[in-house]
Amino acid sequence: MKNHLRGLRAERGWSQADLAEKLDVSRQTVNAIETEKYDPSLPLAFKIAELFQMKIEEIFVPNHRQSPD
Amino acid sequence: MKAILRNPPGPWTVIFTALTWVLVYLLTRRLLENGQLLQGWRIVVALAPMVPFTFFLAFMLAGIRSMDELQRRIQLEALAIAFPLAILLFMLLGLLELAIPLSPQDWSYRHTWSYLPLFYFIGLAIASRRYQ
C-alpha cells in the first residue's frame, strides 16, 4: 500500500521520532510505514488519520488505485 | 508474576535477567560436573536455573506485550525462522545418532540447547532487516 505519511510529517516539521511518540509506536515502525515496507493495522491507520485530521484513504492508497496527486 | 506482566520492564532488565539465568546455568554445570553432591542435591542443583529462567520468561513476555504491532510481527517472524531450525537440528541429530556414534561430550542436551537462542537471534536479525 502506498501512503503520504512522509510528506505529511515533513509539512508539520516533525521528525520520525516525534511522530512515533505521538502515535505511541517505535521509530522503526514509522520508518517501515513511510518506506512502505509495512502496512499498519486498521487501529493504527485510524490513529494516524486522526492525528493528521484526514481520512484514512487520503493518507493510504491501495496499490491498485492511482494516487490523487 | 502478574505485576511483572502488567508493568513492562526495560530492555536492560530483560538482559540482566537473561545474564543471571546464564550465570546460574554455568555455575550449576560446574557444580554438577565437578562437585561431590549427593544424588538428591544434584537434582535440586540441576533444577536451579528454572528460578532465574521463570523471571526471564515473565520479563520477556511483558516486554513483548508492551511492543508495538511491527515489533511483535518481527518477534513472530523471528520465531517462525527459529522454530523450524530447532526442529531441523533435533531431527538431524536424531538421525545422525542412528548413522554414526555421536559423542555426548559434544552433542548432549547441555550442548545443543544453546543453538536455540542462536536460531532466535538469527531469525530476529533476518526479520528486523526486512523492515529497516
Side-chain angles (χ1 to χ4, degrees), chain A residues 24-26 28-29 31-32 37-38 40-41 44, chain B residues 68-71 73-74 127-132:
Chain A
D24 196 25
V25 296
S26 63
Q28 184 186 18
T29 300
N31 184 60
K37 288 177 180 166
Y38 174 69
S41 66
L44 181 56
Chain B
D68 71 29
E69 56 187 56
L70 176 62
Q71 292 170 321
R73 177 183 283 212
I74 289 170
S128 296
R129 195 182 159 86
R130 193 173 160 211
Y131 297 103
Q132 288 297 321

Side-chain angles (χ1 to χ4, degrees), chain B residues 71-125:
Chain B
Q71 292 170 321
R72 283 188 192 185
R73 177 183 283 212
I74 289 170
Q75 292 294 325
L76 177 66
E77 288 185 17
L79 292 175
I81 293 168
F83 186 63
L85 285 177
I87 292 174
L88 183 68
L89 172 73
F90 287 112
M91 183 192 72
L92 291 181
L93 279 177
L95 291 174
L96 280 171
E97 206 172 29
L98 291 174
I100 51 171
L102 289 180
S103 167
Q105 291 307 314
D106 298 319
W107 296 106
S108 74
Y109 287 128
R110 70 177 181 275
H111 300 291
T112 48
W113 76 267
S114 57
Y115 284 91
L116 307 189
L118 176 70
F119 293 159
Y120 164 73
F121 285 115
I122 290 171
L124 195 61

Side-chain angles (χ1 to χ4, degrees), chain B residues 26-89:
Chain B
L26 293 174
L27 286 172
T28 301
R29 251 184 86 166
R30 174 162 282 204
L31 268 175
L32 292 172
E33 283 169 354
N34 303 330
Q36 301 293 319
L37 297 168
L38 294 172
Q39 190 63 23
W41 281 108
R42 288 179 70 81
I43 294 170
V44 172
V45 169
L47 297 177
M50 278 174 59
V51 178
F53 183 82
T54 305
F55 281 97
F56 166 71
L57 184 63
F59 284 138
M60 185 85 177
L61 270 177
I64 286 175
R65 286 180 185 178
S66 70
M67 287 176 173
D68 71 29
E69 56 187 56
L70 176 62
Q71 292 170 321
R72 283 188 192 185
R73 177 183 283 212
I74 289 170
Q75 292 294 325
L76 177 66
E77 288 185 17
L79 292 175
I81 293 168
F83 186 63
L85 285 177
I87 292 174
L88 183 68
L89 172 73

Side-chain angles (χ1 to χ4, degrees), chain A:
Chain A
M1 186 157 2
K2 298 197 176 302
N3 69 73
H4 307 295
L5 197 59
R6 190 184 291 270
L8 291 168
R9 176 177 63 77
E11 280 171 18
R12 284 155 182 80
W14 295 340
S15 66
Q16 284 187 342
D18 294 334
L19 181 57
E21 197 181 328
K22 289 175 198 298
L23 294 171
D24 196 25
V25 296
S26 63
R27 199 196 60 77
Q28 184 186 18
T29 300
V30 169
N31 184 60
I33 296 170
E34 284 189 0
T35 53
E36 295 167 0
K37 288 177 180 166
Y38 174 69
D39 293 332
S41 66
L42 200 52
L44 181 56
F46 269 112
K47 210 170 174 180
I48 293 168
E50 197 180 344
L51 181 68
F52 288 105
Q53 295 182 313
M54 296 170 81
K55 291 179 182 170
I56 287 181
E57 60 267 33
E58 290 173 324
I59 303 173
F60 297 96
V61 184
N63 283 334
H64 65 267
R65 200 187 299 166
Q66 196 69 18
S67 170
D69 33 67

